[in-house]
Amino acid sequence: MAEENTQAEDTFISHLIELRSRIVKAAAVVLVVFLCLMPFAAHIFDVLAAPMIHALPAGSKMIATGVITPFLIPIKVTMLVAVLISLPWVLYQLWAFVAPGLYAHEKRLIAPLVISSSLLFVTGVAFCYFFVFGVVFPFINNFAPKSVSVAPDIDSYVDFVLTMFVAFGVTFEVPVIVIVLVRMGLVPLAKLKQIRPYVIVAAFIVAAVVTPPDVMSQLMLAVPLVLLYEVGLLVAPIFDRATRAPDAEPSSSVSSE
């Protein structure tokens, strides 16, 4: 009994060591990308602020109310851009950590899921930046009373933008989430189709919570979420048939790069 407990403890410690290794590798790449982007931090923030600046009256600018805010906010934005650029590597490290517990045929999902997850998240962020902001910001600023001078604080602006980016990025991950749920046998495809009406209601509730209180921006989040859920339902059976191998044996080796 003591020997079994010792073996279980050793296994647990080896998993912790492997997890630490994966986290260090992911963080190292993010740090390197961040350091490379640091000289362009101010320009990166200007690019992020462009949709709001274009929506403001001519000659208007954003403001910074904190003493060190003009320094901290561009650094914060640059770090998040570094994470976004490093996302494929970060996701690969995550999948590499769980891969040893998967069947060999399930491991074939890792590459397509890492690539598709990264592309879909970036697509969601790009959709929000180029399309949603181009509609929402002019609408909000045009709705402001003439007696009000619109000059958004850069700290509040970045918090709002990041919330929207995460919301749309995660929304565009819905097909991948559906595929994983079906492929891993966590939720049957028939059940996911059955709960479609609840998903539609939930999509509009989420959109109402995370977007500005206007119908246009809520529709821009809720409608893609519902459509991408349908895409996931259509694609999930294809992945299921392509990767299923009932006679496969679980992988026993723990890979470490």
Side-chain angles (χ1 to χ4, degrees):
M1 189 68 176
E3 184 178 349
E4 292 179 357
N5 292 336
T6 301
Q7 185 176 3
E9 183 177 350
D10 291 341
T11 302
F12 177 72
I13 293 176
S14 66
H15 285 313
L16 287 180
I17 295 174
E18 174 71 8
L19 177 60
R20 183 186 64 179
S21 173
R22 296 295 176 183
I23 292 175
V24 169
K25 291 175 182 177
V29 171
V30 173
L31 180 60
V32 170
V33 175
F34 170 73
L35 293 176
C36 292
L37 294 177
M38 265 293 294
F40 312 100
H43 179 68
I44 291 173
F45 177 81
D46 289 340
V47 173
L48 182 68
M52 176 59 79
I53 297 299
H54 291 159
L56 293 175
S60 298
K61 293 183 179 181
M62 302 177 70
I63 62 173
T65 57
V67 176
I68 59 175
T69 300
F71 171 76
L72 289 182
I73 295 301
I75 295 299
K76 178 180 179 180
V77 172
T78 303
M79 173 58 76
L80 293 170
V81 172
V83 172
L84 189 62
I85 294 175
S86 308
L87 188 60
W89 176 253
V90 174
L91 291 177
Y92 170 76
Q93 294 300 322
L94 174 62
W95 281 108
F97 175 71
V98 302
L102 302 177
Y103 288 97
H105 63 282
E106 291 175 334
K107 289 183 179 181
R108 293 197 294 269
L109 280 173
I110 293 178
L113 284 179
V114 168
I115 295 172
S116 60
S117 297
S118 303
L119 290 177
L120 286 172
F121 190 89
V122 173
T123 301
V125 171
F127 176 80
C128 181
Y129 179 84
F130 290 105
F131 182 69
V132 177
F133 288 167
V135 175
V136 172
F137 290 156
F139 172 82
I140 294 175
N141 293 326
N142 291 335
F143 190 79
K146 298 300 181 183
S147 58
V148 175
S149 177
V150 180
D153 175 63
I154 62 173
D155 195 4
S156 300
Y157 174 77
V158 168
D159 289 342
F160 171 79
V161 166
L162 294 182
T163 300
M164 294 287 284
F165 280 169
V166 171
F168 278 88
V170 172
T171 294
F172 275 66
E173 295 287 346
V174 167
V176 174
I177 296 173
V178 172
I179 290 171
V180 171
L181 290 176
V182 173
R183 182 62 194 89
M184 298 301 177
L186 300 176
V187 182
L189 181 61
K191 183 65 176 179
L192 292 176
K193 292 181 178 179
Q194 183 181 351
I195 64 173
R196 183 184 285 115
Y198 301 99
V199 172
I200 295 174
V201 174
F204 281 90
I205 292 176
V206 171
V209 171
V210 302
T211 61
D214 65 276
V215 177
M216 185 64 66
S217 58
Q218 293 173 7
L219 287 174
M220 287 180 179
L221 179 61
V223 172
L225 199 158
V226 174
L227 293 178
L228 289 166
Y229 184 79
E230 294 295 332
V231 170
L233 295 180
L234 291 174
V235 176
I238 299 175
F239 274 81
D240 192 33
R241 290 193 298 270
T243 59
R244 184 168 296 281
D247 56 343
E249 292 292 333
S251 174
S252 58
S253 61
V254 177
S255 62
S256 178
E257 296 182 8

